[in-house]
Structures are given as structure tokens and as C-alpha cells.
Amino acid sequence: MHTSSGSPAGPAAGTGPAASGSTGTARTSPAVPANGARGSGAGIGIALLSALAFGGSGVAAKPLIEAGLAPLHVTWLRVAGAALVLLPLTWRHRGLLRRRPALLVGYGLLAVGGVQACYFAAISRIPVGVALLIEYLAPALVLGWVRFVQKRPVTRAAAVGVVLAVGGLACVVEVWSGLSFDAVGLALALGAACCQVGYFVLSDHGSDGEEAVDPLGVIAYGLLIGAVILTVIARPWTLHWEVLGGSAEMNGTRVPALLLLGWIVLIATVAAYLTGVVSIRLLSPQVAGVVACLEAVIATVLAWVLLGEHLSLPQIIGGVVVLVGAFVAQSAKPKEPATARTDPASDGEGRAAVVTSGVLSAGEDLSVKSSAT
């Protein structure tokens, strides 16, 4: 979550489909650290911390929504709070606003505001795990963009990944029971996935040529711009601030609302994004993609334990199939020959496609990241 929902971290872990799929230029994997296996081990550990941080965003946000805060207000609190914490990074990369304004605005609108607003609105109507798994359709949708919009062929493996993801999703939403979940909630989760697609495409364009920029700067400015945009849309002056002075219920247990908000801002956003960037600099995109897929697993388990949201066996199996399909799709390479690029600056920005986190990265980012997230 992570994004995403957050990815827009989370499912954003594949620079494959976005980077190579959008431009036909293959990027080399990050250089292996000098300390070898020790560096890789540290990268996996940090990536797991990032997935854990992103995966907890929905679990902390849902009690606040049920306590009386609108999903859009929770989104604004998360983004504005994280933007405030990362103001030093924004100042450090102040030149970005002049160099790449379109990239930063698009990132703030889609990868930050769009993914998280859709994800939080979705979890107010459907289970956290279901919303995040739907968001993991983003890599499959990217392949659809490449095939039908850019008119470029995709590999058989990519097509298999898409079929697996869609088939797994059918199990997650239990189509045989007539889509028993809230249709609006499902549409909002799909909207988060679509915003992730825009994030992938923007991340690819942001890494081209000599104008490639530091992903930390993109994240900091994306949060700041996202906060400005959400201020206009969410109208925080109408927020029920008194809710933050009370407590929210998590499966029968009362938890201070400010504690939940602190987790969402400091852990599920700031720490999740920063650890995501560090882990990608220590791992290859493929390895990071595998670890990022654990965000959906973590979010589902946390929702099960802390919120009492139980998934059926077919839904669990479908969720596994969705993750496998997403990983296959986002790891697919373009069919036509590609030109290798080894410029460290462009490679560094290419890793921005991994921290969402949602998405975000949350996605949660995304698949932030995800959680989205």
C-alpha cells in the first residue's frame, strides 16, 4: 500500500514492466555490494522491514475511519504528516521543482494522492487484504498498457503472469458467489491499481537521460505536492479533529487514535519509503520484487490478527496466485532487443519505481505499496 497502498511501494517493486516496457531500454541491476552476501542479507532484512511498515498502514487506518474520520481525511493526515517530516529532504533537493515539475506533480497526484486515497476509501468498504491484492493487479495492467496502448509485443511469460493475476483475483473476490464484496469498494481498489500504473510510467520517464533524479527527492516532493493537492480536495478544516483525541477500536481493543496516526505517518510512510530506497540499493529489482510481494501477505495477516478480518481458503489460494502472477508480470522483459544502460544516476532513479509503497507502497506505495498503500 504501497503505495501501497499503499503500495505505491509494494507492487511497485518491478522496474521491469514499467522501465523496460515503456521505453524498450533495459536497465542493469544494481551493482552487488562489495561485502557480497552480507550486503544482500542486509538488503533483504531492510526490505522485509519496509514491507512490514507498508503492510501495516491499512490496519492502522481502518480503525480511524471506523471511529469517524473520512478516508480522504486519513489520507491527508498521512501525506501531510509525512511531508512535514521529510521537509529537510525537500529542501535538499529543491532544484527538482525547477528541473522536473511535471514528474513531481504526476507523482504527487497519482503515486501519493491517488493510490492512497483510493486504497483507504476501499478498505472502509472491503477487507484490507482484498483491497491490497486487487491493487497488485497493477503490474498486469502495466503489461496491458505496453501491449494495447504502446502497441508493443509482450513475452509469453508476461501473458501468463496476467492470466494468473486475473484468475487469482477471481478467487479473492469469489466471483462464483456473485461478487459478495461491495462493488464500490472493489472499484476503488481497482482505482488504486490504475494509479499505480501511472506511477510506473512516470517513474520510467523520470529515469531517462541525463536528467535522472534521486528517488529520495521524488518521494519528498511527491508527498509535499500530494499534500497540497489533497488539501484542496479533502478540505481538512472539516475534519473531525476530536476523533484524534480519543481512541479507536481494533477487534475489541481500544487504542489511542494518535498512536495509530503516528504509526501511519512515521512507520507506514516515512520509515517505509526510506527503508524501501535503501533495500533497493542493496538488492536487485527482481529480489526486491519478491520481498515486496510479502507486503500483501503481511497486511492480510495483520488484518486477520488485529482486525478480525478472516479470508476463506479459496481467497487465500487466490491471493497467492495473484502475487505469483504479479511477480511474473512485473519481471517480464520486452521481446525486442534492448540497449543496456549502465549510467549510475539513471539506475538510481529507476529504483524509485520500487518504493511505492503504497503503495505505497501502499502502496503502498504501493505498492506504495503497498501497501499501498
Side-chain angles (χ1 to χ4, degrees), residues 10-11 132-139 292-293 295-296 322-323 326 369-370:
L132 193 55
L133 287 168
I134 293 175
E135 191 177 324
Y136 264 76
L137 279 180
C293 283
E295 179 192 338
V322 169
L323 297 181
K369 120 224 227 186
S370 105

Side-chain angles (χ1 to χ4, degrees), residues 9 12 65 81 87 105 118 121 140 170 174 237 241 244 265 355:
I65 295 171
L87 275 179
V105 170
C118 288
E174 296 182 326
W237 49 88
W241 295 96
L244 297 178
V265 172
V355 286

Side-chain angles (χ1 to χ4, degrees), residues 62 65 71 119-127 181-186 188:
K62 190 158 188 172
I65 295 171
Y119 175 65
F120 281 170
I123 65 173
S124 70
R125 310 179 72 103
I126 62 177
F181 290 114
D182 186 294
V184 176
L186 295 176
L188 287 167

Side-chain angles (χ1 to χ4, degrees), residues 16-35:
S20 57
S22 297
T23 62
T25 305
R27 295 193 184 93
T28 58
S29 299
V32 177
N35 55 356

Side-chain angles (χ1 to χ4, degrees), residues 207-267:
S207 63
D208 289 338
E210 298 179 357
E211 291 296 314
V213 292
D214 192 319
L216 289 175
V218 176
I219 291 169
Y221 264 104
L223 287 167
L224 180 60
I225 293 173
V228 172
I229 295 172
L230 286 170
T231 298
V232 177
I233 299 173
R235 299 184 300 166
W237 49 88
T238 65
L239 192 152
H240 297 299
W241 295 96
E242 66 275 8
V243 173
L244 297 178
S247 60
E249 184 175 312
M250 295 185 71
N251 199 23
T253 302
R254 305 298 299 185
V255 180
L258 283 178
L259 179 61
L260 294 173
L261 180 60
W263 175 276
I264 292 171
V265 172
L266 298 177
I267 306 300

